[in-house]
Amino acid sequence: MHEWALVEGVMRISEEEGARHPGHYVVGIELEIGRLRQVVPEDFRFLFDIARRGTVLERAELVLDIRPVRVHCRDCCADGLVEEPAWMACPRCGGFDVEMVEGDQMLVRSINLEPNG
Amino acid sequence: MEIKVLRDILEHDGEFARRTREDLRGRGVLCLNLIGAPGSGKTTMLRSLIALASDRLRFGVIIGDIASQLDAERFSPLGIPVVQLNTGGACHLSARLTRRGFEALASNELDVVMVENVGNLACPAEFDLGEDAKLSMVSVAEGHDKPVKYPLLFHQAAAHILSKTDLDPFVDFDRDQYYAALNATGHRAPVFPICAKTGEGLDAVIDWIAGMLDAKRKGREPGLRPEA
Ligand SMILES: Nc1nc2c(ncn2[C@@H]2O[C@H](COP(=O)(O)OP(=O)(O)OP(=O)(O)O)[C@@H](O)[C@H]2O)c(=O)[nH]1
Ligand SMILES: [Mg+2]
Ligand SMILES: [Zn+2]
Protein backbone atom coordinates (compact mmCIF):
# COMPACT_ATOMS: atom_id res chain seq x y z
CA MET A 1 0.00 0.00 0.00
CA HIS A 2 2.56 2.57 -1.03
CA GLU A 3 -0.37 4.61 -2.39
CA TRP A 4 -0.35 6.52 0.91
CA ALA A 5 3.10 7.88 0.12
CA LEU A 6 1.81 9.05 -3.25
CA VAL A 7 -1.26 10.74 -1.77
CA GLU A 8 1.04 12.47 0.71
CA GLY A 9 3.22 13.73 -2.15
CA VAL A 10 0.21 15.00 -4.09
CA MET A 11 -1.13 16.82 -1.01
CA ARG A 12 2.22 18.45 -0.37
CA ILE A 13 2.62 19.71 -3.94
CA SER A 14 -0.99 20.95 -4.06
CA GLU A 15 -0.60 22.93 -0.83
CA GLU A 16 2.54 24.57 -2.22
CA GLU A 17 1.05 25.37 -5.61
CA GLY A 18 -2.21 26.58 -4.06
CA ALA A 19 -0.32 28.92 -1.72
CA ARG A 20 1.18 30.67 -4.74
CA HIS A 21 -2.26 31.76 -5.89
CA PRO A 22 -4.05 33.35 -2.95
CA GLY A 23 -7.68 34.15 -3.53
CA HIS A 24 -8.18 30.96 -5.56
CA TYR A 25 -9.34 27.46 -4.82
CA VAL A 26 -8.48 24.22 -6.59
CA VAL A 27 -11.27 22.85 -8.78
CA GLY A 28 -9.23 20.12 -10.41
CA ILE A 29 -5.95 18.27 -10.29
CA GLU A 30 -4.48 16.04 -12.97
CA LEU A 31 -1.97 13.32 -12.25
CA GLU A 32 -0.02 11.36 -14.81
CA ILE A 33 1.13 7.92 -13.72
CA GLY A 34 2.90 5.37 -15.86
CA ARG A 35 1.54 1.83 -15.88
CA LEU A 36 4.85 0.45 -14.72
CA ARG A 37 4.34 2.22 -11.36
CA GLN A 38 1.71 -0.33 -10.31
CA VAL A 39 -0.66 2.24 -8.85
CA VAL A 40 -4.15 0.92 -8.10
CA PRO A 41 -6.50 3.75 -9.13
CA GLU A 42 -9.33 2.67 -6.81
CA ASP A 43 -7.00 2.51 -3.79
CA PHE A 44 -5.48 5.81 -4.70
CA ARG A 45 -8.88 7.52 -4.99
CA PHE A 46 -10.04 6.01 -1.72
CA LEU A 47 -7.02 7.35 0.19
CA PHE A 48 -7.12 10.65 -1.68
CA ASP A 49 -10.71 11.18 -0.54
CA ILE A 50 -9.71 10.65 3.06
CA ALA A 51 -6.60 12.82 2.90
CA ARG A 52 -8.10 15.81 1.13
CA ARG A 53 -10.68 16.66 3.80
CA GLY A 54 -10.09 20.18 5.05
CA THR A 55 -7.25 20.83 2.55
CA VAL A 56 -6.89 22.87 -0.64
CA LEU A 57 -8.06 19.81 -2.53
CA GLU A 58 -11.32 19.50 -0.64
CA ARG A 59 -13.37 20.39 -3.72
CA ALA A 60 -10.98 19.31 -6.46
CA GLU A 61 -11.88 16.86 -9.16
CA LEU A 62 -9.17 14.25 -9.53
CA VAL A 63 -8.08 13.11 -12.98
CA LEU A 64 -5.81 10.07 -12.91
CA ASP A 65 -4.25 9.58 -16.29
CA ILE A 66 -2.64 6.14 -16.31
CA ARG A 67 -0.14 6.28 -19.17
CA PRO A 68 0.82 3.23 -21.22
CA VAL A 69 4.38 2.01 -21.46
CA ARG A 70 5.91 3.39 -24.65
CA VAL A 71 9.21 2.16 -26.04
CA HIS A 72 11.69 3.02 -28.75
CA CYS A 73 13.43 0.09 -30.44
CA ARG A 74 17.19 0.44 -30.86
CA ASP A 75 17.17 -2.28 -33.50
CA CYS A 76 14.48 -1.23 -35.95
CA CYS A 77 13.86 2.32 -34.64
CA ALA A 78 10.13 1.72 -34.24
CA ASP A 79 8.18 3.58 -31.55
CA GLY A 80 5.19 1.97 -29.99
CA LEU A 81 3.17 0.83 -27.02
CA VAL A 82 3.90 -2.20 -24.87
CA GLU A 83 0.76 -4.07 -23.85
CA GLU A 84 2.29 -6.09 -21.05
CA PRO A 85 4.75 -4.10 -18.87
CA ALA A 86 6.60 -7.29 -17.98
CA TRP A 87 7.31 -7.95 -21.62
CA MET A 88 9.20 -4.97 -23.01
CA ALA A 89 9.35 -6.13 -26.58
CA CYS A 90 9.40 -3.96 -29.67
CA PRO A 91 5.86 -3.94 -31.10
CA ARG A 92 7.30 -4.14 -34.63
CA CYS A 93 10.24 -6.58 -34.61
CA GLY A 94 9.67 -8.25 -31.23
CA GLY A 95 13.23 -7.50 -30.11
CA PHE A 96 14.09 -6.64 -26.52
CA ASP A 97 16.68 -3.97 -27.24
CA VAL A 98 14.24 -1.21 -26.41
CA GLU A 99 14.38 2.01 -24.49
CA MET A 100 11.42 3.17 -22.41
CA VAL A 101 10.11 6.53 -23.58
CA GLU A 102 7.37 6.74 -20.98
CA GLY A 103 5.51 4.51 -18.57
CA ASP A 104 7.40 5.00 -15.32
CA GLN A 105 6.49 8.61 -14.62
CA MET A 106 4.53 9.83 -11.60
CA LEU A 107 3.65 13.49 -11.98
CA VAL A 108 1.28 16.16 -10.85
CA ARG A 109 0.62 17.40 -14.36
CA SER A 110 -1.61 20.38 -13.69
CA ILE A 111 -3.88 22.11 -11.25
CA ASN A 112 -7.03 23.97 -12.14
CA LEU A 113 -7.85 27.07 -10.10
CA GLU A 114 -10.90 29.31 -9.81
CA PRO A 115 -11.12 32.62 -7.96
CA ASN A 116 -12.85 32.40 -4.58
CA GLY A 117 -16.30 33.84 -4.24
CA MET B 1 -7.28 28.75 -14.87
CA GLU B 2 -5.08 25.76 -15.54
CA ILE B 3 -1.57 25.77 -14.15
CA LYS B 4 1.06 23.41 -15.53
CA VAL B 5 2.83 21.83 -12.58
CA LEU B 6 4.83 18.83 -13.88
CA ARG B 7 6.32 17.93 -10.51
CA ASP B 8 7.30 14.41 -9.48
CA ILE B 9 4.83 13.14 -6.88
CA LEU B 10 7.64 11.66 -4.80
CA GLU B 11 9.92 14.68 -5.15
CA HIS B 12 9.94 15.34 -1.41
CA ASP B 13 11.29 11.91 -0.58
CA GLY B 14 13.46 12.22 -3.67
CA GLU B 15 15.19 15.19 -2.09
CA PHE B 16 16.38 12.93 0.78
CA ALA B 17 17.56 10.41 -1.80
CA ARG B 18 19.46 13.12 -3.66
CA ARG B 19 21.28 14.20 -0.49
CA THR B 20 22.16 10.62 0.39
CA ARG B 21 23.49 10.01 -3.10
CA GLU B 22 25.62 13.15 -2.86
CA ASP B 23 27.05 12.15 0.54
CA LEU B 24 27.86 8.64 -0.66
CA ARG B 25 29.53 9.95 -3.78
CA GLY B 26 31.64 12.33 -1.71
CA ARG B 27 32.79 9.49 0.51
CA GLY B 28 33.28 6.98 -2.29
CA VAL B 29 30.87 4.52 -0.72
CA LEU B 30 28.78 2.16 -2.86
CA CYS B 31 25.19 1.53 -1.81
CA LEU B 32 23.05 -1.38 -2.99
CA ASN B 33 19.34 -1.73 -2.25
CA LEU B 34 18.38 -5.41 -1.92
CA ILE B 35 14.72 -6.14 -2.62
CA GLY B 36 12.94 -9.48 -2.37
CA ALA B 37 9.92 -11.20 -0.86
CA PRO B 38 9.73 -12.00 2.87
CA GLY B 39 11.91 -15.00 3.54
CA SER B 40 13.59 -15.04 0.13
CA GLY B 41 16.92 -15.17 1.95
CA LYS B 42 18.12 -11.57 2.03
CA THR B 43 19.59 -11.55 5.54
CA THR B 44 21.09 -15.01 5.19
CA MET B 45 22.84 -14.05 1.96
CA LEU B 46 24.13 -10.75 3.36
CA ARG B 47 25.57 -12.54 6.38
CA SER B 48 27.36 -15.18 4.32
CA LEU B 49 28.51 -12.72 1.69
CA ILE B 50 29.89 -10.21 4.16
CA ALA B 51 31.71 -12.94 6.09
CA LEU B 52 33.27 -14.21 2.85
CA ALA B 53 34.27 -10.75 1.65
CA SER B 54 35.54 -9.39 4.96
CA ASP B 55 39.18 -9.28 3.86
CA ARG B 56 38.29 -7.37 0.68
CA LEU B 57 35.49 -4.95 1.50
CA ARG B 58 34.29 -3.07 4.56
CA PHE B 59 30.52 -3.44 4.76
CA GLY B 60 27.84 -1.58 6.66
CA VAL B 61 24.25 -2.82 6.71
CA ILE B 62 20.91 -1.03 6.98
CA ILE B 63 17.94 -3.30 7.51
CA GLY B 64 14.33 -2.34 7.02
CA ASP B 65 11.58 -4.34 8.65
CA ILE B 66 8.10 -3.39 9.73
CA ALA B 67 8.99 -4.41 13.29
CA SER B 68 11.69 -6.08 15.41
CA GLN B 69 15.49 -6.05 15.73
CA LEU B 70 15.77 -9.74 14.84
CA ASP B 71 17.59 -9.33 11.55
CA ALA B 72 20.11 -6.82 12.94
CA GLU B 73 20.95 -9.22 15.78
CA ARG B 74 21.87 -11.88 13.25
CA PHE B 75 24.85 -9.76 12.20
CA SER B 76 26.38 -9.40 15.65
CA PRO B 77 28.90 -12.27 15.21
CA LEU B 78 30.34 -10.40 12.23
CA GLY B 79 31.20 -7.29 14.22
CA ILE B 80 30.21 -4.91 11.44
CA PRO B 81 28.11 -1.75 11.80
CA VAL B 82 24.42 -2.55 11.41
CA VAL B 83 21.40 -0.28 11.72
CA GLN B 84 17.90 -1.69 12.05
CA LEU B 85 15.11 0.59 10.86
CA ASN B 86 11.49 -0.15 11.67
CA THR B 87 8.93 1.29 9.31
CA GLY B 88 6.10 0.71 11.78
CA GLY B 89 3.76 -0.67 9.15
CA ALA B 90 4.97 0.83 5.90
CA CYS B 91 5.62 -1.75 3.20
CA HIS B 92 8.87 -0.14 2.02
CA LEU B 93 11.78 1.99 3.15
CA SER B 94 11.48 5.67 2.31
CA ALA B 95 14.52 7.80 1.52
CA ARG B 96 13.71 9.94 4.55
CA LEU B 97 13.78 7.03 6.99
CA THR B 98 16.80 5.40 5.36
CA ARG B 99 18.78 8.62 5.76
CA ARG B 100 18.73 8.01 9.50
CA GLY B 101 20.45 4.73 8.80
CA PHE B 102 23.14 6.39 6.72
CA GLU B 103 23.65 9.02 9.42
CA ALA B 104 24.07 6.30 12.03
CA LEU B 105 26.73 4.63 9.87
CA ALA B 106 28.54 7.85 9.00
CA SER B 107 31.25 7.51 11.66
CA ASN B 108 32.51 4.25 10.10
CA GLU B 109 35.04 3.91 7.28
CA LEU B 110 33.10 1.84 4.78
CA ASP B 111 33.31 0.65 1.19
CA VAL B 112 29.80 -0.65 0.71
CA VAL B 113 26.45 -0.11 2.43
CA MET B 114 23.98 -2.90 1.82
CA VAL B 115 20.36 -1.93 2.41
CA GLU B 116 17.98 -4.82 3.02
CA ASN B 117 14.56 -3.47 2.18
CA VAL B 118 11.29 -4.58 3.76
CA GLY B 119 10.35 -8.01 2.42
CA ASN B 120 8.13 -7.19 -0.55
CA LEU B 121 8.58 -7.47 -4.31
CA ALA B 122 6.30 -4.61 -5.27
CA CYS B 123 6.36 -1.42 -3.20
CA PRO B 124 10.08 -1.01 -2.35
CA ALA B 125 10.84 -0.76 -6.06
CA GLU B 126 8.92 2.54 -6.18
CA PHE B 127 11.25 4.35 -3.79
CA ASP B 128 14.70 5.66 -4.62
CA LEU B 129 16.77 5.67 -1.43
CA GLY B 130 19.85 7.26 -2.96
CA GLU B 131 21.40 3.88 -3.78
CA ASP B 132 23.68 3.23 -6.74
CA ALA B 133 21.70 0.19 -7.79
CA LYS B 134 18.87 -2.09 -6.82
CA LEU B 135 19.30 -5.86 -6.58
CA SER B 136 16.36 -8.20 -7.01
CA MET B 137 16.21 -11.43 -5.06
CA VAL B 138 13.97 -14.40 -5.85
CA SER B 139 14.37 -17.79 -4.21
CA VAL B 140 13.71 -20.83 -6.35
CA ALA B 141 10.84 -21.81 -4.03
CA GLU B 142 8.90 -18.71 -5.06
CA GLY B 143 8.60 -19.70 -8.71
CA HIS B 144 10.07 -18.49 -11.98
CA ASP B 145 7.18 -16.19 -12.82
CA LYS B 146 8.09 -13.42 -10.36
CA PRO B 147 9.64 -11.06 -12.97
CA VAL B 148 6.45 -11.28 -15.00
CA LYS B 149 4.25 -10.51 -12.00
CA TYR B 150 6.34 -7.72 -10.46
CA PRO B 151 7.83 -6.00 -13.50
CA LEU B 152 9.03 -2.73 -11.99
CA LEU B 153 11.67 -4.22 -9.68
CA PHE B 154 13.08 -6.47 -12.37
CA HIS B 155 13.08 -3.60 -14.80
CA GLN B 156 15.13 -1.47 -12.42
CA ALA B 157 17.52 -3.96 -10.85
CA ALA B 158 21.14 -3.81 -11.98
CA ALA B 159 21.60 -7.46 -11.00
CA HIS B 160 19.36 -10.35 -10.03
CA ILE B 161 20.04 -12.83 -7.25
CA LEU B 162 18.45 -16.27 -7.57
CA SER B 163 18.67 -17.74 -4.08
CA LYS B 164 18.28 -21.13 -2.37
CA THR B 165 19.51 -23.11 -5.36
CA ASP B 166 19.95 -26.09 -2.99
CA LEU B 167 16.13 -26.38 -3.07
CA ASP B 168 16.07 -26.89 -6.84
CA PRO B 169 15.40 -30.64 -6.58
CA PHE B 170 12.26 -30.02 -4.51
CA VAL B 171 10.59 -27.30 -6.55
CA ASP B 172 9.75 -26.78 -10.22
CA PHE B 173 11.66 -23.61 -10.86
CA ASP B 174 12.12 -23.27 -14.62
CA ARG B 175 15.31 -21.27 -15.13
CA ASP B 176 14.74 -20.81 -18.86
CA GLN B 177 11.43 -19.09 -18.21
CA TYR B 178 13.00 -16.96 -15.48
CA TYR B 179 15.81 -15.86 -17.80
CA ALA B 180 13.35 -15.23 -20.64
CA ALA B 181 11.27 -12.99 -18.38
CA LEU B 182 14.38 -11.06 -17.30
CA ASN B 183 15.41 -10.68 -20.92
CA ALA B 184 12.05 -9.15 -21.62
CA THR B 185 12.76 -6.21 -19.31
CA GLY B 186 14.67 -4.71 -22.22
CA HIS B 187 18.10 -4.59 -20.64
CA ARG B 188 20.69 -7.13 -19.65
CA ALA B 189 21.58 -7.35 -15.99
CA PRO B 190 23.66 -10.23 -14.64
CA VAL B 191 21.95 -13.09 -12.81
CA PHE B 192 23.66 -14.70 -9.82
CA PRO B 193 22.33 -18.09 -8.72
CA ILE B 194 23.45 -18.57 -5.10
CA CYS B 195 23.07 -20.82 -2.12
CA ALA B 196 23.68 -18.93 1.11
CA LYS B 197 23.87 -22.20 3.04
CA THR B 198 26.90 -23.54 1.17
CA GLY B 199 28.24 -20.21 -0.09
CA GLU B 200 27.95 -21.38 -3.67
CA GLY B 201 27.83 -18.51 -6.14
CA LEU B 202 28.65 -15.80 -3.61
CA ASP B 203 32.15 -15.15 -4.97
CA ALA B 204 30.65 -13.96 -8.25
CA VAL B 205 28.38 -11.56 -6.39
CA ILE B 206 31.32 -10.22 -4.40
CA ASP B 207 33.35 -9.69 -7.60
CA TRP B 208 30.43 -7.85 -9.13
CA ILE B 209 30.09 -5.60 -6.06
CA ALA B 210 33.83 -4.92 -6.08
CA GLY B 211 33.56 -3.99 -9.77
CA MET B 212 30.69 -1.61 -9.07
CA LEU B 213 32.66 0.02 -6.27
CA ASP B 214 35.71 0.38 -8.47
CA ALA B 215 33.63 1.94 -11.25
CA LYS B 216 32.10 4.39 -8.82
CA ARG B 217 35.45 5.44 -7.37
CA LYS B 218 36.85 5.94 -10.85
CA GLY B 219 34.00 8.31 -11.53
CA ARG B 220 31.98 6.01 -13.74
CA GLU B 221 28.57 6.10 -12.13
CA PRO B 222 27.29 2.53 -11.88
CA GLY B 223 23.77 3.86 -12.36
CA LEU B 224 20.40 2.29 -11.76
CA ARG B 225 20.32 0.43 -15.04
CA PRO B 226 23.45 -1.25 -16.27
CA GLU B 227 23.16 -0.11 -19.86
CA ALA B 228 21.40 3.21 -19.56
N1 LIG C 1 17.58 -24.09 1.96
C1 LIG C 1 17.97 -22.82 2.08
N2 LIG C 1 17.37 -22.03 2.94
C2 LIG C 1 17.77 -20.75 3.03
C3 LIG C 1 18.79 -20.23 2.20
N3 LIG C 1 18.94 -18.91 2.48
C4 LIG C 1 18.04 -18.64 3.46
N4 LIG C 1 17.33 -19.73 3.79
C5 LIG C 1 16.28 -19.84 4.82
O1 LIG C 1 15.16 -19.06 4.46
C6 LIG C 1 14.56 -18.50 5.61
C7 LIG C 1 14.43 -16.99 5.44
O2 LIG C 1 15.71 -16.42 5.32
P1 LIG C 1 16.02 -14.90 5.64
O3 LIG C 1 17.45 -14.67 5.28
O4 LIG C 1 15.61 -14.55 7.03
O5 LIG C 1 15.07 -14.18 4.62
P2 LIG C 1 14.80 -12.60 4.43
O6 LIG C 1 14.63 -12.39 2.98
O7 LIG C 1 15.86 -11.81 5.11
O8 LIG C 1 13.40 -12.43 5.18
P3 LIG C 1 12.69 -11.08 5.71
O9 LIG C 1 13.75 -10.23 6.35
O10 LIG C 1 11.69 -11.56 6.67
O11 LIG C 1 12.09 -10.43 4.51
C8 LIG C 1 15.44 -18.89 6.79
O12 LIG C 1 14.84 -19.99 7.44
C9 LIG C 1 16.74 -19.27 6.14
O13 LIG C 1 17.46 -20.22 6.88
C10 LIG C 1 19.41 -21.10 1.28
O14 LIG C 1 20.33 -20.75 0.51
N5 LIG C 1 18.96 -22.38 1.25
MG1 LIG D 1 15.71 -10.31 6.55
ZN1 LIG E 1 12.14 -3.20 -33.31
Side-chain angles (χ1 to χ4, degrees), chain A residues 28-53:
Chain A
I29 179 164
E30 280 189 25
L31 310 182
E32 181 176 318
I33 297 177
R35 254 189 84 191
L36 201 61
R37 305 309 303 225
Q38 352 178 84
V39 169
V40 183
E42 295 73 25
D43 289 354
F44 187 90
R45 282 181 185 282
F46 177 76
L47 297 174
F48 180 80
D49 281 337
I50 294 171
R52 68 155 135 195
R53 288 177 201 154

Side-chain angles (χ1 to χ4, degrees), chain B residues 39 41-44 63-65 71 74-75 116-117 119:
Chain B
K42 298 180 291 297
T43 308
T44 311
I63 301 202
D65 279 303
D71 272 2
R74 292 163 67 188
F75 286 90
E116 176 184 332
N117 219 308

Side-chain angles (χ1 to χ4, degrees), chain B residues 64-116:
Chain B
D65 279 303
I66 288 178
S68 94
Q69 303 285 317
L70 289 174
D71 272 2
E73 287 161 10
R74 292 163 67 188
F75 286 90
S76 52
L78 293 180
I80 59 157
V82 178
V83 183
Q84 174 88 52
L85 299 174
N86 286 143
T87 64
C91 49
H92 60 272
L93 283 171
S94 65
R96 181 170 29 177
L97 178 60
T98 312
R99 236 187 119 60
R100 281 196 225 148
F102 289 111
E103 280 161 6
L105 290 178
S107 60
N108 299 279
E109 282 289 321
L110 298 175
D111 298 310
V112 183
V113 173
M114 299 296 289
V115 177
E116 176 184 332

Side-chain angles (χ1 to χ4, degrees), chain A residues 44-109:
Chain A
F44 187 90
R45 282 181 185 282
F46 177 76
L47 297 174
F48 180 80
D49 281 337
I50 294 171
R52 68 155 135 195
R53 288 177 201 154
T55 76
V56 290
L57 294 178
E58 177 117 47
R59 289 179 285 171
E61 191 200 339
L62 171 67
V63 175
L64 250 183
D65 186 7
I66 304 289
R67 305 292 302 163
V69 178
R70 191 182 296 277
V71 295
H72 172 78
C73 178
R74 292 195 196 98
D75 269 341
C76 76
C77 292
D79 285 293
L81 300 182
V82 168
E83 284 302 316
E84 181 53 66
W87 210 254
M88 294 264 181
C90 167
R92 190 202 282 168
C93 71
F96 291 128
D97 194 8
V98 297
E99 198 178 321
M100 190 164 38
V101 181
E102 68 161 332
D104 65 349
Q105 72 267 51
M106 264 201 304
L107 298 173
V108 176
R109 191 160 59 195

Side-chain angles (χ1 to χ4, degrees), chain B residues 197-212:
Chain B
K197 291 233 151 151
T198 61
E200 206 181 316
L202 290 178
D203 283 335
V205 183
I206 295 166
D207 287 344
W208 181 82
I209 293 174
M212 291 283 281

Side-chain angles (χ1 to χ4, degrees), chain A residues 2 6 9 12-13 16-17 21 37-38 86-88 96 100 104 106-113, chain B residues 1-12 91 122-123 126-127 148 152 155 183-186 225:
Chain A
H2 60 280
L6 305 187
R12 186 185 296 271
I13 291 171
E16 280 177 23
E17 295 288 333
H21 301 274
R37 305 309 303 225
Q38 352 178 84
W87 210 254
M88 294 264 181
F96 291 128
M100 190 164 38
D104 65 349
M106 264 201 304
L107 298 173
V108 176
R109 191 160 59 195
S110 63
I111 284 181
N112 212 339
L113 299 172
Chain B
M1 165 174 72
E2 195 195 62
I3 298 172
K4 286 266 161 268
V5 178
L6 297 177
R7 285 168 65 176
D8 189 327
I9 292 175
L10 291 180
E11 65 175 21
H12 178 70
C91 49
C123 309
E126 304 283 347
F127 296 84
V148 181
L152 184 66
H155 188 84
N183 238 342
T185 58
R225 290 176 201 158

